[in-house]
Amino acid sequence: MKILGTGSALPEKVVCNDDLTLFLDTSDEWISTRTGIRERRVLSEETLLDLANRAAENALENAKVAAEDLDMILVTTAKGEAVTPATACMVQGAIGAHCPAFDLNAACAGFLYALDTADAFIASKKAKTILIVSAEALSRFCDWKDRSTCVLFGDGAGAVVVGEGDGLIGTKLFAQSNEPILYAYGDPGNSPYEREKHPLTPLHMAGQEVYKFAVSHSSRDLLELIERAGKTPDEIDHYLLHQANLRIVEAVRHRLHQPEAKFPHNIERTGNTSSASVPILLDELNRAGKLKTGDLIAMSAFGAGLSTGAALLRWTL
Ligand code: UT7
């Protein structure tokens, strides 16, 4: 499998740290020094589906692939536009595709899970060309009165079109059940039969627990993938990490003894956009001409589950 093109879309509305101090006991100083975040984009006039569609269309255009030539659409999202139908089916209709479409939820690691899933469909010859869209609107299920979570997240969508080729070198998926440290529960409904129901609960995170998990598992996944490919960390040109906290990116970078330039970041502008963060970053680098044919790219993401995903690929565009 190889990547044929990338796309992304962010909401128009910019919310900077100082905007949050109008209704939260927080400061630009705390948010920027603890996380690296200076501003984030949040949905206001547009919908999550608008972002997903725009990212999809950008990726198709970049890949020079027509929507009717897609064999499958995968959307990764922690919470799609509706309970049902799948957001992937809505994207299919909007872009004029006719292929099977489904959503996949692996929280912030979703894009890496989708890459691996797409690779499996392509390797088994069940599909040739697949669109992956990672579209997230965490602003919809954060508690905007909880300064420990809502300041961290932003909305956005990133997309790639993948096809047959020899770009993908390896992947690693991992999950370790640990619900209490990162969760959000949706509307429990009003069934008179179900005895125990979780009440509607906005996003809850035990930040330090997740932080430790992220640093140790992201470093472990990357080193394992690189070693499996017979490479060393020095031979990797770009490390694209989930943009959850700049301190996590820096901690992993130090563990791998790599220079800053190899760990690009956009968290200062986007906040944490969950599964969309890696493909948005990839699209920004692609469009800025920062990826050269033959470059080795390592990606890693982590989040609720807990789950992690990593991939090593050669840039073929
Ligand atoms: O994408 C999913 C994966 N998520 C992550 O990877 C997130 C991982 N965790 C983190 O990035 C960090 O743990 C956080 C950014 C969430 C928190 O940073 P921290 O350095 O671990 O801070 P903390 O939770 O230990 O809180 C330190 C203090 C507390 O006050 P006390 O108890 O020391 O008096 C908090 O109440 O900072 C306080 N605090 C804030 N103060 C101002 C928490 N949030 C804020 C805030 N503004 N927004």
Side-chain angles (χ1 to χ4, degrees):
M1 185 185 94
K2 66 180 182 184
I3 291 179
L4 303 173
T6 66
S8 63
L10 293 173
E12 288 300 314
K13 175 91 183 146
V14 179
V15 176
C16 66
N17 292 344
D18 279 338
D19 294 333
L20 299 173
T21 63
L22 300 178
F23 58 93
L24 281 173
D25 178 16
T26 189
S27 64
D28 175 49
E29 205 262 334
W30 190 97
I31 301 170
S32 56
T33 54
R34 299 269 180 156
T35 70
I37 300 167
R38 297 200 170 271
E39 60 186 42
R40 72 286 292 141
R41 301 292 188 97
V42 297
L43 291 177
S44 57
E45 300 301 319
E46 62 286 85
T47 65
L48 177 63
L49 184 60
D50 293 333
L51 296 185
N53 291 340
R54 257 170 51 208
E57 278 159 2
N58 290 346
L60 287 168
E61 197 184 345
N62 188 242
K64 300 187 179 58
V65 167
E68 56 265 32
D69 293 332
L70 290 171
D71 299 315
M72 180 164 288
I73 299 172
L74 283 174
V75 168
T76 77
T77 185
K79 189 167 182 283
E81 196 61 84
V83 174
T84 195
T87 302
C89 291
M90 299 183 191
V91 171
Q92 187 231 46
I95 64 174
H98 306 287
C99 55
F102 65 97
D103 287 0
L104 185 161
N105 181 355
C108 300
F111 176 69
L112 281 306
Y113 268 69
L115 267 189
D116 205 24
T117 306
D119 181 47
F121 275 103
I122 289 173
S124 64
K125 309 265 182 219
K126 288 186 174 172
K128 278 189 172 165
T129 314
I130 298 178
L131 169 68
I132 299 171
V133 186
S134 297
E136 303 279 10
L138 270 79
S139 66
R140 287 178 173 171
F141 58 99
C142 273
D143 177 357
W144 285 88
K145 292 186 178 120
D146 176 7
R147 67 177 184 174
S148 71
T149 51
C150 74
V151 305
L152 305 172
F153 297 98
D155 304 332
V160 295
V161 180
V162 299
E164 291 175 315
D166 56 0
L168 190 68
I169 298 168
T171 54
K172 178 178 163 73
L173 304 183
F174 173 81
Q176 172 190 295
S177 177
N178 195 343
E179 190 184 330
I181 72 169
L182 186 46
Y183 62 80
Y185 298 114
D187 184 350
N190 66 352
S191 162
Y193 299 107
E194 193 182 8
R195 194 142 44 94
E196 271 188 45
K197 289 192 267 193
H198 284 295
L200 178 66
T201 315
L203 190 89
H204 166 88
M205 178 166 67
Q208 292 196 354
E209 295 300 310
V210 181
Y211 188 102
K212 282 183 249 164
F213 172 84
V215 174
S216 63
H217 286 70
S218 183
S219 316
R220 180 205 65 180
D221 287 356
L222 288 166
L223 286 170
E224 190 183 313
L225 266 186
I226 293 166
E227 193 183 330
R228 220 200 291 155
K231 305 278 179 200
T232 65
D234 291 354
E235 289 177 273
I236 307 305
D237 299 289
H238 315 274
Y239 289 90
L240 272 55
L241 261 61
H242 172 39
Q243 303 288 292
N245 187 328
L246 197 53
R247 284 158 55 213
I248 295 177
V249 176
E250 281 296 280
V252 174
R253 180 174 79 76
H254 284 294
R255 285 191 175 202
L256 272 62
H257 307 290
Q258 295 300 302
E260 252 180 84
K262 283 194 184 181
F263 281 69
H265 50 83
N266 60 8
I267 188 170
E268 57 280 4
R269 287 180 284 110
T270 62
N272 177 346
T273 57
S274 189
S275 73
S277 84
V278 171
I280 291 172
L281 187 58
L282 180 72
D283 183 51
E284 288 183 359
L285 294 173
N286 181 24
R287 282 167 198 269
K290 294 196 172 147
L291 306 175
K292 293 193 295 296
T293 312
D295 278 0
L296 284 174
I297 303 175
M299 301 172 175
S300 165
F302 43 81
L306 300 172
S307 57
T308 71
L312 181 63
L313 56 95
R314 193 173 291 283
W315 192 246
T316 49
L317 292 184

